[in-house]
Amino acid sequence: MERLPVLPLGQLVVYPHVVLPLALTDPKAVQLIDEIIQGEKRLLLGVVKSMGGMDPPEGAVMNTLPHQLYDVGTLGTIVRMLKLGDGSVRVMVQDWNARGSRTSRRARSGSWPSPSRCKRICWRTRARRR
């Protein structure tokens, strides 16, 4: 199974063939995007659950724990990236199928195995690169 980084999103869902612009200011999110751009530009876009009656903030929520993610998300790619002088990043993400790739049925459905497993994989990958 392929290992991809997870970008947890609050109150945002990436639908097929839609390009979603994101403004990322969290240093962890910026570092994650830098690592993704250096690789194959693919990532898992997870959706953060509402917890305790409170909705998560909109955008990337990097302090999310694995159990706070829904079991279904989107296999995505970074279409464009713009780094700003203040350290923030503007990216445009899109679902992987919109790029015309040949993917497996699991990837086409937009789901992946347990988010906790994906999150652990992402953390292990980052730890190895340091």
Side-chain angles (χ1 to χ4, degrees):
M1 178 184 291
E2 190 172 349
R3 297 176 182 206
L4 295 170
V6 177
L7 181 63
L9 299 175
Q11 300 184 28
L12 295 172
V13 177
V14 179
Y15 290 100
H17 305 288
V18 173
V19 176
L20 179 69
L22 295 172
L24 304 173
T25 56
D26 185 324
K28 290 179 184 178
V30 172
Q31 180 183 0
L32 180 68
I33 295 299
D34 283 340
E35 291 175 8
I36 293 167
I37 288 293
Q38 292 173 8
E40 293 185 27
K41 299 184 183 176
R42 294 191 303 162
L43 69 160
L44 299 173
L45 300 163
V47 179
V48 180
K49 297 177 186 176
S50 296
M51 297 297 238
M54 294 189 59
D55 289 334
E58 188 173 315
V61 186
M62 297 308 291
N63 58 351
T64 303
L65 298 174
H67 71 276
Q68 294 173 321
L69 291 173
Y70 283 102
D71 292 331
V72 177
T74 304
L75 177 61
T77 185
I78 296 176
V79 179
R80 297 253 188 243
M81 180 186 92
L82 175 65
K83 248 187 168 170
L84 301 177
D86 63 355
S88 66
V89 173
R90 304 293 186 260
V91 293
M92 296 173 76
V93 295
Q94 185 176 34
D95 78 297
W96 183 250
N97 285 335
R99 304 282 296 175
S101 68
R102 295 179 66 195
T103 56
S104 70
R105 181 172 289 156
R106 170 175 269 157
R108 271 182 275 163
S109 71
S111 64
W112 64 83
S114 144
S116 60
R117 182 163 184 222
C118 293
K119 194 82 163 177
R120 284 194 311 264
I121 290 167
C122 178
W123 289 338
R124 279 192 220 135
T125 302
R126 268 194 249 148
R128 283 189 200 137
R129 288 184 184 169
R130 289 184 185 159

